[in-house]
Amino acid sequence: MNQLFPFPPEASLESHGVDMLYFAMLGVSFVIIVIVFGLIVIFAWHYRAGSPAVRKRLPAFYSHEVEIGWTLATLFAFLGIFGWAAAERQVHFAPPENALSIRVVAKQWMWKFEHPSGAREIDELHLPVGTPIRLNMTSQDVIHSFYVPAFREKQDVLPDRVVTLWFTPTELGRYPIRCAEYCGTNHSLMGGEVDVITPAAYARWSQRNSDRGLPASGAQRFAALGCAGCHEARSNIAPRLDGLFGSRVALEGNRTVVADDAYLERSILDPRADIVKGYLPVMPTYRGVASPDDVSALIAYIKSLRAGEKP
Ligand code: CUA
């Protein structure tokens, strides 16, 4: 079957639902094609030149009830498919809190990944099986699209913005990563492989490749970019950053947010998106000032600050 009709394996928790939707739509399309082409053939034969077929006007029943009936049926069929697809994707807006956060930076023409341990890799992504994975993705230049056919996941990756995608790999193995948005000369070569391994193997891999130097280079960027001026312990212009990561932050407008990777990145690139309660929106954006590598390092530095520590 698979040789005859090549189809990528279902390697994530989400892939089966996407396949069901896909085959249902294929089935509906097939039924419609059979009806349309069947009628073409029947009418072509029935009303051929010289046939004795009746060629009067249609009775009102066909031009009213039947017309309205099939239009409404089509409308509801489409709304039904829309509702089904929306329900399928809707869960994707709320990643579980225990998800493993991995930072993704796309650039012409490669995928860079950074794990919580600081381990970094290019065009290869190690993931532990059975664990919810959350990708915080941004682009260093143009629009790319992160696509793993075996996971049935595809998400555009935009410059100056962090988009998240989450899913749970369920099958061990290696699966291709593709870029699904034309992004320049070598777009077709922009890809890589996901390597889904056991959680124990992932823990070993991630430890072996961990980068303890990243927070330190983040501390240097923190000083060089002038962040310390407002965020130092004695200042009250800006919120303290020690012990911030993972905590719940009260925002203006009676909102709260968990200070995760995406929040930290958003606060650097788009500081007015979430104003911490009691502070004024005075922080300038660091979009275009801090490179994606700077942001990686800054986030690693902020995550490393325990409560009560500097700055
Ligand atoms: Cu990156 Cu196409």
Side-chain angles (χ1 to χ4, degrees), residues 107 109 111 142-145 179-184 187-188 190:
K107 60 175 282 195
W109 287 277
W111 296 102
V142 298
I143 300 176
H144 301 272
S145 183
C179 177
E181 177 75 51
Y182 181 67
C183 56
H187 155 72
S188 62
M190 181 169 170

Side-chain angles (χ1 to χ4, degrees), residues 17-31 81 84:
V18 175
D19 282 359
M20 289 296 98
L21 185 63
Y22 176 73
F23 286 120
M25 287 176 60
L26 213 56
V28 170
S29 310
F30 182 74
V31 169
I81 291 171
W84 180 5

